Amino acid sequence: MNLTSVKLHRYKMDLVTPFTTHAGTVEQREGILVEAIDSSGRSGWGEGVAFLTPFYTAETVATSWIMMKNHFLPMLQEGSIHHPSDLPKIVEKEQGHQMAKAALEGAMWDLYAKQQNQSLASLIGGAQHSIPVGVVVSLSENLGELVPYYESQGYKRVKVKVRKGYEREDIEAVKRLSSNISVMFDGNGAYGEEDLEHLASLDDLGLLMIEQPFVSGDFYLHRELQQRMDTPICLDESIESYHDAYQAIQLESCKTMNIKISRVGGLTEALNIYDLCVASGVDVWCGGMLETGISRAHNIAFASLPNMTIPGDISASKRYWHEDVITPEVELQDGRVEVRRHTPGIGYEVNRQQVNRITQETYTYLL
């Protein structure tokens, strides 16, 4: 791939509105943009989407920065990278830190696609020209205003960050506001074994799914709940690798899987998990984070694969940002996002002026 350098941009951006889960409220998003540069001066972009605190996974912005700067970038000297899928083999001896690995690999996928003069979506076999998308509603937002607005924008699915113990009230409130949008809720691992019967009692709500009610890695409780409900249980934080996905399928712990490129260590592993789920009859969809348009563009390419039929967490740029870091920004048309199949790489240009405005710190590694 003729890499000459990799540059890290640590950024900070204000959210349009605060985003609240049971773990706290985020008003500003900090993260890391990764730029891989080749000998022709082309740049590929990826994004590290860990949070400031380890409430979602063990990673944070600080640990991702340290791991990329002090470990993963120097390891690039240890082997040749002819294809982005070579990177996981180089960094696999370092345990964990999936989001840092995914950020580096994402930059290489974008660069490689540009070198091949192909869109990333076409390169990985994406077949859809536009994809249906969903939106996440947090606990701090006004549902009475937002749900009708999102319905008017054509969003196909609402994921609600419910209040524990008030799930029925929160879900029924959303359903009263719209009868046309599919509804699910995200437990973010907030429940325990004592909540099994309570969760099972929500089966009559007709939810699209319940996502990750129990803690990460607990395949047993998810299996117990799935056996008591027709509502599909979806795993999110529990799936950090192909082996996790294989184990969940073998134990029948879920009927649906949320595949996040960043959570599983990169697009190579995400594609392997996708193939496994398709072969096993497990429904899949592309999850998202509080991310800029760079990571969102990678998700759009991934979500264009033929069996990605459930609306993913790929909302418009204006959902989160006053100004995104890509041009054009991600926009919806009748609840769908266009897959930019005729533009090389991730399909969007990076707005370097905006990147410069939000960047707090940079680091360049020369190869």
Side-chain angles (χ1 to χ4, degrees), residues 13-20 26-29 51 134-138 141 146 150 155 157 159 161 288-293 296 312-324 329-330 354:
M13 279 213 296
D14 291 331
L15 290 167
V16 172
T17 56
F19 192 85
T20 302
V26 179
E27 297 184 358
Q28 286 185 318
R29 180 62 158 117
F51 292 97
V135 66
V136 184
V137 180
S138 83
E141 296 174 299
L146 286 180
Y150 291 140
Y155 281 101
R157 186 223 70 207
K159 178 163 75 173
K161 300 289 187 178
M289 305 283 284
L290 286 174
E291 58 218 337
T292 75
R296 201 172 302 276
D313 289 339
I314 307 173
S315 50
S317 294
K318 294 300 184 186
R319 166 71 177 93
Y320 295 117
W321 313 118
H322 299 286
E323 182 179 2
D324 208 338
E329 295 191 351
V330 176
Q354 174 66 346

mmCIF file of all heavy atoms in Angstrom, residues 13-20 26-29 51 134-138 141 146 150 155 157 159 161 288-293 296 312-324 329-330 354:
data_model
loop_
_atom_site.group_PDB
_atom_site.id
_atom_site.type_symbol
_atom_site.label_atom_id
_atom_site.label_comp_id
_atom_site.label_asym_id
_atom_site.label_seq_id
_atom_site.Cartn_x
_atom_site.Cartn_y
_atom_site.Cartn_z
ATOM 1 N N MET A 13 -15.682 18.056 19.814
ATOM 2 C CA MET A 13 -16.802 18.726 19.146
ATOM 3 C C MET A 13 -18.014 18.772 20.064
ATOM 4 O O MET A 13 -18.290 17.815 20.784
ATOM 5 C CB MET A 13 -17.190 17.996 17.853
ATOM 6 C CG MET A 13 -16.318 18.336 16.662
ATOM 7 S SD MET A 13 -17.242 18.301 15.087
ATOM 8 C CE MET A 13 -17.721 16.590 14.973
ATOM 9 N N ASP A 14 -18.738 19.880 19.995
ATOM 10 C CA ASP A 14 -19.987 20.005 20.748
ATOM 11 C C ASP A 14 -21.099 19.244 20.045
ATOM 12 O O ASP A 14 -21.223 19.304 18.811
ATOM 13 C CB ASP A 14 -20.401 21.476 20.862
ATOM 14 C CG ASP A 14 -19.469 22.275 21.747
ATOM 15 O OD1 ASP A 14 -18.877 21.679 22.664
ATOM 16 O OD2 ASP A 14 -19.330 23.489 21.509
ATOM 17 N N LEU A 15 -21.908 18.528 20.817
ATOM 18 C CA LEU A 15 -23.101 17.890 20.280
ATOM 19 C C LEU A 15 -24.221 18.916 20.126
ATOM 20 O O LEU A 15 -24.282 19.899 20.878
ATOM 21 C CB LEU A 15 -23.572 16.769 21.204
ATOM 22 C CG LEU A 15 -22.688 15.523 21.280
ATOM 23 C CD1 LEU A 15 -23.110 14.659 22.456
ATOM 24 C CD2 LEU A 15 -22.777 14.734 19.989
ATOM 25 N N VAL A 16 -25.110 18.701 19.172
ATOM 26 C CA VAL A 16 -26.258 19.584 18.990
ATOM 27 C C VAL A 16 -27.116 19.589 20.246
ATOM 28 O O VAL A 16 -27.551 20.647 20.719
ATOM 29 C CB VAL A 16 -27.085 19.149 17.760
ATOM 30 C CG1 VAL A 16 -28.393 19.934 17.679
ATOM 31 C CG2 VAL A 16 -26.278 19.347 16.481
ATOM 32 N N THR A 17 -27.344 18.396 20.815
ATOM 33 C CA THR A 17 -28.066 18.271 22.077
ATOM 34 C C THR A 17 -27.345 17.242 22.943
ATOM 35 O O THR A 17 -26.724 16.314 22.422
ATOM 36 C CB THR A 17 -29.526 17.808 21.873
ATOM 37 O OG1 THR A 17 -29.531 16.569 21.143
ATOM 38 C CG2 THR A 17 -30.319 18.850 21.099
ATOM 39 N N PRO A 18 -27.403 17.380 24.265
ATOM 40 C CA PRO A 18 -26.760 16.387 25.141
ATOM 41 C C PRO A 18 -27.353 15.000 24.905
ATOM 42 O O PRO A 18 -28.533 14.862 24.582
ATOM 43 C CB PRO A 18 -27.083 16.899 26.549
ATOM 44 C CG PRO A 18 -27.355 18.354 26.380
ATOM 45 C CD PRO A 18 -28.005 18.486 25.032
ATOM 46 N N PHE A 19 -26.523 13.978 25.082
ATOM 47 C CA PHE A 19 -26.952 12.598 24.870
ATOM 48 C C PHE A 19 -26.789 11.835 26.171
ATOM 49 O O PHE A 19 -25.685 11.750 26.725
ATOM 50 C CB PHE A 19 -26.111 11.949 23.768
ATOM 51 C CG PHE A 19 -26.663 10.639 23.286
ATOM 52 C CD1 PHE A 19 -27.642 10.606 22.314
ATOM 53 C CD2 PHE A 19 -26.210 9.442 23.817
ATOM 54 C CE1 PHE A 19 -28.166 9.401 21.860
ATOM 55 C CE2 PHE A 19 -26.724 8.235 23.380
ATOM 56 C CZ PHE A 19 -27.695 8.211 22.395
ATOM 57 N N THR A 20 -27.905 11.279 26.686
ATOM 58 C CA THR A 20 -27.912 10.670 28.008
ATOM 59 C C THR A 20 -28.261 9.196 27.950
ATOM 60 O O THR A 20 -29.204 8.795 27.273
ATOM 61 C CB THR A 20 -28.923 11.389 28.925
ATOM 62 O OG1 THR A 20 -28.575 12.773 29.012
ATOM 63 C CG2 THR A 20 -28.906 10.779 30.332
ATOM 64 N N VAL A 26 -23.416 13.011 27.771
ATOM 65 C CA VAL A 26 -22.309 13.503 26.953
ATOM 66 C C VAL A 26 -22.760 14.786 26.268
ATOM 67 O O VAL A 26 -23.770 14.796 25.564
ATOM 68 C CB VAL A 26 -21.893 12.463 25.878
ATOM 69 C CG1 VAL A 26 -20.759 13.006 25.020
ATOM 70 C CG2 VAL A 26 -21.496 11.152 26.544
ATOM 71 N N GLU A 27 -22.035 15.883 26.494
ATOM 72 C CA GLU A 27 -22.339 17.157 25.845
ATOM 73 C C GLU A 27 -21.310 17.496 24.787
ATOM 74 O O GLU A 27 -21.615 18.188 23.803
ATOM 75 C CB GLU A 27 -22.419 18.277 26.879
ATOM 76 C CG GLU A 27 -23.549 18.090 27.890
ATOM 77 C CD GLU A 27 -23.664 19.251 28.853
ATOM 78 O OE1 GLU A 27 -22.844 20.193 28.756
ATOM 79 O OE2 GLU A 27 -24.563 19.215 29.712
ATOM 80 N N GLN A 28 -20.072 17.057 25.012
ATOM 81 C CA GLN A 28 -19.012 17.227 24.036
ATOM 82 C C GLN A 28 -18.448 15.858 23.688
ATOM 83 O O GLN A 28 -18.309 15.002 24.552
ATOM 84 C CB GLN A 28 -17.877 18.096 24.578
ATOM 85 C CG GLN A 28 -18.204 19.577 24.661
ATOM 86 C CD GLN A 28 -16.987 20.376 25.087
ATOM 87 O OE1 GLN A 28 -16.249 19.963 25.979
ATOM 88 N NE2 GLN A 28 -16.767 21.520 24.455
ATOM 89 N N ARG A 29 -18.154 15.657 22.430
ATOM 90 C CA ARG A 29 -17.580 14.383 21.990
ATOM 91 C C ARG A 29 -16.103 14.580 21.719
ATOM 92 O O ARG A 29 -15.702 15.474 20.979
ATOM 93 C CB ARG A 29 -18.292 13.921 20.704
ATOM 94 C CG ARG A 29 -17.771 12.579 20.157
ATOM 95 C CD ARG A 29 -17.998 11.474 21.152
ATOM 96 N NE ARG A 29 -18.002 10.158 20.545
ATOM 97 C CZ ARG A 29 -17.118 9.201 20.814
ATOM 98 N NH1 ARG A 29 -16.128 9.417 21.675
ATOM 99 N NH2 ARG A 29 -17.235 8.006 20.260
ATOM 100 N N PHE A 51 -14.899 6.417 24.241
ATOM 101 C CA PHE A 51 -15.343 7.588 24.994
ATOM 102 C C PHE A 51 -14.271 8.017 26.000
ATOM 103 O O PHE A 51 -13.257 7.340 26.177
ATOM 104 C CB PHE A 51 -16.654 7.286 25.709
ATOM 105 C CG PHE A 51 -17.822 7.103 24.772
ATOM 106 C CD1 PHE A 51 -18.234 5.828 24.388
ATOM 107 C CD2 PHE A 51 -18.514 8.200 24.273
ATOM 108 C CE1 PHE A 51 -19.311 5.653 23.527
ATOM 109 C CE2 PHE A 51 -19.589 8.040 23.414
ATOM 110 C CZ PHE A 51 -19.989 6.765 23.028
ATOM 111 N N GLY A 134 -32.094 4.065 11.205
ATOM 112 C CA GLY A 134 -32.817 4.333 12.436
ATOM 113 C C GLY A 134 -32.132 5.436 13.208
ATOM 114 O O GLY A 134 -31.067 5.924 12.834
ATOM 115 N N VAL A 135 -32.739 5.811 14.309
ATOM 116 C CA VAL A 135 -32.198 6.889 15.124
ATOM 117 C C VAL A 135 -32.293 6.488 16.588
ATOM 118 O O VAL A 135 -33.176 5.729 16.986
ATOM 119 C CB VAL A 135 -32.965 8.209 14.857
ATOM 120 C CG1 VAL A 135 -34.413 8.106 15.328
ATOM 121 C CG2 VAL A 135 -32.272 9.408 15.477
ATOM 122 N N VAL A 136 -31.369 6.998 17.375
ATOM 123 C CA VAL A 136 -31.324 6.720 18.812
ATOM 124 C C VAL A 136 -31.849 7.927 19.570
ATOM 125 O O VAL A 136 -31.445 9.062 19.301
ATOM 126 C CB VAL A 136 -29.889 6.393 19.268
ATOM 127 C CG1 VAL A 136 -29.873 6.004 20.750
ATOM 128 C CG2 VAL A 136 -29.280 5.292 18.413
ATOM 129 N N VAL A 137 -32.742 7.687 20.520
ATOM 130 C CA VAL A 137 -33.296 8.765 21.337
ATOM 131 C C VAL A 137 -32.815 8.573 22.766
ATOM 132 O O VAL A 137 -32.999 7.508 23.350
ATOM 133 C CB VAL A 137 -34.840 8.769 21.294
ATOM 134 C CG1 VAL A 137 -35.397 9.892 22.152
ATOM 135 C CG2 VAL A 137 -35.326 8.930 19.852
ATOM 136 N N SER A 138 -32.194 9.609 23.323
ATOM 137 C CA SER A 138 -31.632 9.486 24.668
ATOM 138 C C SER A 138 -32.611 9.959 25.728
ATOM 139 O O SER A 138 -33.643 10.569 25.434
ATOM 140 C CB SER A 138 -30.320 10.277 24.772
ATOM 141 O OG SER A 138 -30.566 11.643 25.036
ATOM 142 N N GLU A 141 -33.731 13.816 26.029
ATOM 143 C CA GLU A 141 -34.374 14.502 24.916
ATOM 144 C C GLU A 141 -35.897 14.499 25.054
ATOM 145 O O GLU A 141 -36.481 13.654 25.733
ATOM 146 C CB GLU A 141 -33.943 13.861 23.600
ATOM 147 C CG GLU A 141 -32.449 14.027 23.341
ATOM 148 C CD GLU A 141 -31.981 13.278 22.113
ATOM 149 O OE1 GLU A 141 -32.113 12.046 22.087
ATOM 150 O OE2 GLU A 141 -31.462 13.925 21.194
ATOM 151 N N LEU A 146 -39.367 15.080 19.368
ATOM 152 C CA LEU A 146 -38.430 14.419 18.477
ATOM 153 C C LEU A 146 -39.034 13.251 17.705
ATOM 154 O O LEU A 146 -38.731 13.071 16.522
ATOM 155 C CB LEU A 146 -37.211 13.937 19.262
ATOM 156 C CG LEU A 146 -36.242 15.038 19.692
ATOM 157 C CD1 LEU A 146 -35.080 14.443 20.471
ATOM 158 C CD2 LEU A 146 -35.727 15.809 18.481
ATOM 159 N N TYR A 150 -38.736 12.861 13.779
ATOM 160 C CA TYR A 150 -37.999 11.785 13.113
ATOM 161 C C TYR A 150 -38.908 10.996 12.169
ATOM 162 O O TYR A 150 -38.465 10.561 11.101
ATOM 163 C CB TYR A 150 -37.362 10.857 14.150
ATOM 164 C CG TYR A 150 -36.232 11.504 14.912
ATOM 165 C CD1 TYR A 150 -36.070 11.300 16.284
ATOM 166 C CD2 TYR A 150 -35.319 12.325 14.271
ATOM 167 C CE1 TYR A 150 -35.035 11.904 16.980
ATOM 168 C CE2 TYR A 150 -34.285 12.928 14.968
ATOM 169 C CZ TYR A 150 -34.143 12.722 16.321
ATOM 170 O OH TYR A 150 -33.124 13.311 16.999
ATOM 171 N N TYR A 155 -37.318 8.326 9.219
ATOM 172 C CA TYR A 155 -36.585 7.287 9.936
ATOM 173 C C TYR A 155 -37.473 6.058 10.117
ATOM 174 O O TYR A 155 -38.667 6.177 10.403
ATOM 175 C CB TYR A 155 -36.133 7.792 11.309
ATOM 176 C CG TYR A 155 -34.905 8.678 11.261
ATOM 177 C CD1 TYR A 155 -35.016 10.060 11.350
ATOM 178 C CD2 TYR A 155 -33.638 8.126 11.140
ATOM 179 C CE1 TYR A 155 -33.896 10.882 11.317
ATOM 180 C CE2 TYR A 155 -32.511 8.936 11.115
ATOM 181 C CZ TYR A 155 -32.647 10.310 11.203
ATOM 182 O OH TYR A 155 -31.524 11.107 11.166
ATOM 183 N N ARG A 157 -36.846 3.430 12.241
ATOM 184 C CA ARG A 157 -36.756 2.759 13.534
ATOM 185 C C ARG A 157 -36.244 3.726 14.593
ATOM 186 O O ARG A 157 -35.355 4.542 14.313
ATOM 187 C CB ARG A 157 -35.777 1.584 13.410
ATOM 188 C CG ARG A 157 -35.673 0.691 14.626
ATOM 189 C CD ARG A 157 -34.202 0.344 14.903
ATOM 190 N NE ARG A 157 -33.480 1.500 15.380
ATOM 191 C CZ ARG A 157 -32.186 1.681 15.221
ATOM 192 N NH1 ARG A 157 -31.454 0.819 14.572
ATOM 193 N NH2 ARG A 157 -31.584 2.772 15.701
ATOM 194 N N LYS A 159 -34.599 3.759 18.428
ATOM 195 C CA LYS A 159 -34.031 3.014 19.556
ATOM 196 C C LYS A 159 -34.065 3.925 20.771
ATOM 197 O O LYS A 159 -33.498 5.014 20.763
ATOM 198 C CB LYS A 159 -32.593 2.570 19.258
ATOM 199 C CG LYS A 159 -31.961 1.826 20.439
ATOM 200 C CD LYS A 159 -30.735 1.033 20.016
ATOM 201 C CE LYS A 159 -29.528 1.879 19.777
ATOM 202 N NZ LYS A 159 -28.312 1.050 19.527
ATOM 203 N N LYS A 161 -33.356 4.813 24.732
ATOM 204 C CA LYS A 161 -32.583 4.562 25.947
ATOM 205 C C LYS A 161 -33.551 4.699 27.125
ATOM 206 O O LYS A 161 -33.776 5.789 27.650
ATOM 207 C CB LYS A 161 -31.439 5.572 26.070
ATOM 208 C CG LYS A 161 -30.456 5.554 24.916
ATOM 209 C CD LYS A 161 -29.585 4.320 24.916
ATOM 210 C CE LYS A 161 -28.502 4.430 23.851
ATOM 211 N NZ LYS A 161 -27.599 3.270 23.838
ATOM 212 N N GLY A 288 -23.976 1.929 15.440
ATOM 213 C CA GLY A 288 -23.170 3.136 15.371
ATOM 214 C C GLY A 288 -22.867 3.675 16.751
ATOM 215 O O GLY A 288 -23.367 3.176 17.761
ATOM 216 N N MET A 289 -22.042 4.708 16.764
ATOM 217 C CA MET A 289 -21.653 5.358 18.010
ATOM 218 C C MET A 289 -21.936 6.852 17.859
ATOM 219 O O MET A 289 -22.486 7.290 16.845
ATOM 220 C CB MET A 289 -20.158 5.128 18.262
ATOM 221 C CG MET A 289 -19.733 3.674 18.272
ATOM 222 S SD MET A 289 -20.156 2.827 19.803
ATOM 223 C CE MET A 289 -18.896 3.483 20.891
ATOM 224 N N LEU A 290 -21.570 7.633 18.862
ATOM 225 C CA LEU A 290 -21.556 9.086 18.699
ATOM 226 C C LEU A 290 -20.293 9.422 17.915
ATOM 227 O O LEU A 290 -19.242 9.711 18.488
ATOM 228 C CB LEU A 290 -21.545 9.775 20.064
ATOM 229 C CG LEU A 290 -22.839 9.774 20.857
ATOM 230 C CD1 LEU A 290 -22.608 10.367 22.239
ATOM 231 C CD2 LEU A 290 -23.924 10.543 20.128
ATOM 232 N N GLU A 291 -20.384 9.370 16.589
ATOM 233 C CA GLU A 291 -19.187 9.469 15.754
ATOM 234 C C GLU A 291 -19.353 10.551 14.701
ATOM 235 O O GLU A 291 -20.458 10.978 14.392
ATOM 236 C CB GLU A 291 -18.952 8.122 15.066
ATOM 237 C CG GLU A 291 -20.121 7.670 14.205
ATOM 238 C CD GLU A 291 -20.366 6.174 14.284
ATOM 239 O OE1 GLU A 291 -19.451 5.427 14.622
ATOM 240 O OE2 GLU A 291 -21.511 5.773 14.000
ATOM 241 N N THR A 292 -18.227 10.972 14.145
ATOM 242 C CA THR A 292 -18.273 11.938 13.053
ATOM 243 C C THR A 292 -18.641 11.225 11.755
ATOM 244 O O THR A 292 -18.805 10.004 11.710
ATOM 245 C CB THR A 292 -16.916 12.637 12.866
ATOM 246 O OG1 THR A 292 -15.993 11.732 12.232
ATOM 247 C CG2 THR A 292 -16.341 13.117 14.184
ATOM 248 N N GLY A 293 -18.727 12.010 10.692
ATOM 249 C CA GLY A 293 -19.079 11.455 9.399
ATOM 250 C C GLY A 293 -18.071 10.474 8.847
ATOM 251 O O GLY A 293 -18.407 9.671 7.967
ATOM 252 N N ARG A 296 -19.121 7.243 10.295
ATOM 253 C CA ARG A 296 -20.453 7.017 9.746
ATOM 254 C C ARG A 296 -20.378 6.550 8.291
ATOM 255 O O ARG A 296 -21.145 5.683 7.857
ATOM 256 C CB ARG A 296 -21.269 8.311 9.846
ATOM 257 C CG ARG A 296 -22.764 8.110 9.782
ATOM 258 C CD ARG A 296 -23.464 9.426 10.091
ATOM 259 N NE ARG A 296 -23.085 9.940 11.393
ATOM 260 C CZ ARG A 296 -23.641 9.581 12.548
ATOM 261 N NH1 ARG A 296 -24.610 8.691 12.544
ATOM 262 N NH2 ARG A 296 -23.235 10.090 13.691
ATOM 263 N N GLY A 312 -30.034 0.503 10.509
ATOM 264 C CA GLY A 312 -28.912 0.645 11.419
ATOM 265 C C GLY A 312 -28.887 1.999 12.112
ATOM 266 O O GLY A 312 -29.722 2.868 11.854
ATOM 267 N N ASP A 313 -27.907 2.172 13.000
ATOM 268 C CA ASP A 313 -27.735 3.447 13.723
ATOM 269 C C ASP A 313 -26.918 4.404 12.863
ATOM 270 O O ASP A 313 -25.766 4.723 13.178
ATOM 271 C CB ASP A 313 -27.018 3.205 15.052
ATOM 272 C CG ASP A 313 -27.890 2.492 16.066
ATOM 273 O OD1 ASP A 313 -29.124 2.535 15.920
ATOM 274 O OD2 ASP A 313 -27.339 1.894 17.002
ATOM 275 N N ILE A 314 -27.505 4.842 11.757
ATOM 276 C CA ILE A 314 -26.766 5.685 10.807
ATOM 277 C C ILE A 314 -27.631 6.905 10.518
ATOM 278 O O ILE A 314 -28.237 7.020 9.454
ATOM 279 C CB ILE A 314 -26.432 4.919 9.512
ATOM 280 C CG1 ILE A 314 -25.731 3.600 9.855
ATOM 281 C CG2 ILE A 314 -25.550 5.761 8.601
ATOM 282 C CD1 ILE A 314 -25.504 2.694 8.667
ATOM 283 N N SER A 315 -27.710 7.806 11.464
ATOM 284 C CA SER A 315 -28.559 8.975 11.294
ATOM 285 C C SER A 315 -27.835 10.058 10.502
ATOM 286 O O SER A 315 -26.634 9.965 10.222
ATOM 287 C CB SER A 315 -28.983 9.504 12.664
ATOM 288 O OG SER A 315 -27.866 9.660 13.502
ATOM 289 N N ALA A 316 -28.570 11.115 10.153
ATOM 290 C CA ALA A 316 -27.995 12.230 9.409
ATOM 291 C C ALA A 316 -26.971 12.969 10.256
ATOM 292 O O ALA A 316 -27.036 12.973 11.492
ATOM 293 C CB ALA A 316 -29.112 13.184 8.981
ATOM 294 N N SER A 317 -26.028 13.625 9.587
ATOM 295 C CA SER A 317 -24.995 14.379 10.300
ATOM 296 C C SER A 317 -25.596 15.407 11.251
ATOM 297 O O SER A 317 -25.103 15.608 12.371
ATOM 298 C CB SER A 317 -24.073 15.090 9.302
ATOM 299 O OG SER A 317 -23.325 14.174 8.531
ATOM 300 N N LYS A 318 -26.678 16.057 10.834
ATOM 301 C CA LYS A 318 -27.283 17.122 11.633
ATOM 302 C C LYS A 318 -27.922 16.596 12.913
ATOM 303 O O LYS A 318 -28.265 17.387 13.800
ATOM 304 C CB LYS A 318 -28.343 17.863 10.805
ATOM 305 C CG LYS A 318 -27.762 18.639 9.619
ATOM 306 C CD LYS A 318 -26.764 19.699 10.070
ATOM 307 C CE LYS A 318 -26.270 20.521 8.887
ATOM 308 N NZ LYS A 318 -25.190 21.468 9.283
ATOM 309 N N ARG A 319 -28.081 15.270 13.019
ATOM 310 C CA ARG A 319 -28.612 14.702 14.262
ATOM 311 C C ARG A 319 -27.688 15.011 15.434
ATOM 312 O O ARG A 319 -28.152 15.236 16.551
ATOM 313 C CB ARG A 319 -28.777 13.176 14.078
ATOM 314 C CG ARG A 319 -28.995 12.383 15.361
ATOM 315 C CD ARG A 319 -30.368 12.629 15.937
ATOM 316 N NE ARG A 319 -30.602 11.824 17.124
ATOM 317 C CZ ARG A 319 -30.370 12.210 18.364
ATOM 318 N NH1 ARG A 319 -29.874 13.411 18.603
ATOM 319 N NH2 ARG A 319 -30.637 11.411 19.390
ATOM 320 N N TYR A 320 -26.394 15.043 15.183
ATOM 321 C CA TYR A 320 -25.431 15.219 16.276
ATOM 322 C C TYR A 320 -24.572 16.468 16.158
ATOM 323 O O TYR A 320 -24.153 17.023 17.169
ATOM 324 C CB TYR A 320 -24.501 14.007 16.352
ATOM 325 C CG TYR A 320 -25.203 12.726 16.729
ATOM 326 C CD1 TYR A 320 -25.254 11.654 15.853
ATOM 327 C CD2 TYR A 320 -25.823 12.583 17.967
ATOM 328 C CE1 TYR A 320 -25.895 10.467 16.197
ATOM 329 C CE2 TYR A 320 -26.469 11.411 18.323
ATOM 330 C CZ TYR A 320 -26.502 10.358 17.427
ATOM 331 O OH TYR A 320 -27.147 9.197 17.764
ATOM 332 N N TRP A 321 -24.278 16.924 14.921
ATOM 333 C CA TRP A 321 -23.242 17.939 14.739
ATOM 334 C C TRP A 321 -23.770 19.227 14.113
ATOM 335 O O TRP A 321 -24.583 19.189 13.193
ATOM 336 C CB TRP A 321 -22.117 17.395 13.857
ATOM 337 C CG TRP A 321 -21.655 16.034 14.250
ATOM 338 C CD1 TRP A 321 -21.708 14.896 13.514
ATOM 339 C CD2 TRP A 321 -21.071 15.658 15.508
ATOM 340 N NE1 TRP A 321 -21.201 13.840 14.219
ATOM 341 C CE2 TRP A 321 -20.799 14.270 15.453
ATOM 342 C CE3 TRP A 321 -20.746 16.359 16.671
ATOM 343 C CZ2 TRP A 321 -20.227 13.580 16.518
ATOM 344 C CZ3 TRP A 321 -20.184 15.667 17.736
ATOM 345 C CH2 TRP A 321 -19.922 14.302 17.646
ATOM 346 N N HIS A 322 -23.254 20.362 14.621
ATOM 347 C CA HIS A 322 -23.532 21.636 13.968
ATOM 348 C C HIS A 322 -22.845 21.671 12.606
ATOM 349 O O HIS A 322 -23.394 22.205 11.647
ATOM 350 C CB HIS A 322 -23.038 22.789 14.846
ATOM 351 C CG HIS A 322 -23.691 22.843 16.186
ATOM 352 N ND1 HIS A 322 -24.992 23.283 16.362
ATOM 353 C CD2 HIS A 322 -23.237 22.494 17.426
ATOM 354 C CE1 HIS A 322 -25.311 23.227 17.651
ATOM 355 N NE2 HIS A 322 -24.265 22.739 18.317
ATOM 356 N N GLU A 323 -21.653 21.120 12.540
ATOM 357 C CA GLU A 323 -20.932 20.968 11.275
ATOM 358 C C GLU A 323 -20.122 19.688 11.348
ATOM 359 O O GLU A 323 -19.316 19.506 12.258
ATOM 360 C CB GLU A 323 -20.010 22.158 11.010
ATOM 361 C CG GLU A 323 -19.277 22.057 9.687
ATOM 362 C CD GLU A 323 -18.374 23.254 9.396
ATOM 363 O OE1 GLU A 323 -18.290 24.158 10.254
ATOM 364 O OE2 GLU A 323 -17.740 23.266 8.317
ATOM 365 N N ASP A 324 -20.321 18.798 10.389
ATOM 366 C CA ASP A 324 -19.600 17.524 10.369
ATOM 367 C C ASP A 324 -18.217 17.725 9.747
ATOM 368 O O ASP A 324 -17.883 18.814 9.277
ATOM 369 C CB ASP A 324 -20.404 16.480 9.583
ATOM 370 C CG ASP A 324 -20.144 15.043 10.041
ATOM 371 O OD1 ASP A 324 -19.084 14.783 10.643
ATOM 372 O OD2 ASP A 324 -21.005 14.180 9.781
ATOM 373 N N GLU A 329 -22.333 16.353 3.783
ATOM 374 C CA GLU A 329 -22.714 15.694 5.024
ATOM 375 C C GLU A 329 -23.716 14.574 4.730
ATOM 376 O O GLU A 329 -24.339 14.546 3.663
ATOM 377 C CB GLU A 329 -23.307 16.709 6.005
ATOM 378 C CG GLU A 329 -22.286 17.758 6.445
ATOM 379 C CD GLU A 329 -22.764 18.604 7.594
ATOM 380 O OE1 GLU A 329 -23.964 18.513 7.955
ATOM 381 O OE2 GLU A 329 -21.939 19.356 8.157
ATOM 382 N N VAL A 330 -23.845 13.648 5.665
ATOM 383 C CA VAL A 330 -24.799 12.550 5.502
ATOM 384 C C VAL A 330 -26.210 13.106 5.652
ATOM 385 O O VAL A 330 -26.532 13.758 6.653
ATOM 386 C CB VAL A 330 -24.556 11.442 6.551
ATOM 387 C CG1 VAL A 330 -25.616 10.344 6.423
ATOM 388 C CG2 VAL A 330 -23.160 10.858 6.384
ATOM 389 N N GLN A 354 -12.568 22.065 8.954
ATOM 390 C CA GLN A 354 -13.289 21.682 10.156
ATOM 391 C C GLN A 354 -12.433 20.777 11.041
ATOM 392 O O GLN A 354 -12.436 20.921 12.271
ATOM 393 C CB GLN A 354 -14.604 20.990 9.783
ATOM 394 C CG GLN A 354 -15.390 20.414 10.953
ATOM 395 C CD GLN A 354 -15.931 21.457 11.922
ATOM 396 O OE1 GLN A 354 -15.530 22.614 11.897
ATOM 397 N NE2 GLN A 354 -16.839 21.030 12.797
#
